[in-house]
Amino acid sequence: MTLDLFGATLGESTTPMQGRGRLLQALRFLEELPSDGATDIGRATTAFLHKYRRKGLVVLISDFFDAAGFQRALKQLHHNHYDFFVIQVNEPEELSGVIADLGRAVA
């Protein structure tokens, strides 16, 4: 497992991790990340696809508040034969229809 961070573009990566014990390490790493700045999921996904040619599982964790939208990024992952899960994280007051859009993104 490798964690790749993104904001306006693809950011830093962790070294590859293996084994059950690494899951807690990965969760702690994610918990300590700052959540600020602009997001460009499409640009980050394009960079990700150029960096990783081998297919695998992608878990995309975001608030999905991207001015350019996130649908193109999910279609890119689907078109390139990646298996993927999306996890939306945000504050309760931020919810305003974004979850409903996730279901329509790949259809």
Side-chain angles (χ1 to χ4, degrees):
M1 167 175 59
T2 302
L3 300 176
D4 285 272
L5 309 178
F6 72 93
T9 187
L10 193 64
E12 65 179 281
S13 300
T14 64
T15 57
M17 298 181 249
Q18 292 181 323
R20 291 183 194 163
R22 301 296 183 186
L23 180 59
L24 286 177
Q25 178 185 356
L27 292 174
R28 283 189 201 104
F29 175 79
L30 292 172
E31 185 177 52
E32 294 172 5
L33 289 175
S35 59
D36 57 351
T39 302
D40 189 336
I41 298 172
R43 185 174 176 190
T45 300
T46 299
F48 174 86
L49 292 171
H50 283 95
K51 182 177 180 179
Y52 297 102
R53 301 284 184 191
R54 203 171 124 200
K55 307 306 180 231
L57 175 65
V58 173
V59 179
L60 180 58
I61 304 171
S62 175
D63 61 9
F64 293 96
F65 295 132
D66 184 339
F70 56 84
Q71 292 85 350
R72 187 185 73 142
L74 298 183
K75 287 181 182 181
Q76 284 180 302
L77 291 171
H78 177 73
H79 176 73
N80 285 280
H81 306 288
Y82 280 87
D83 294 323
F84 62 93
F85 291 97
V86 294
I87 300 173
Q88 184 182 27
V89 292
N90 53 26
E91 297 295 325
E93 58 272 6
E94 294 175 325
L95 294 176
S96 63
V98 176
I99 293 175
D101 289 342
L102 282 174
R104 291 188 287 258
V106 179

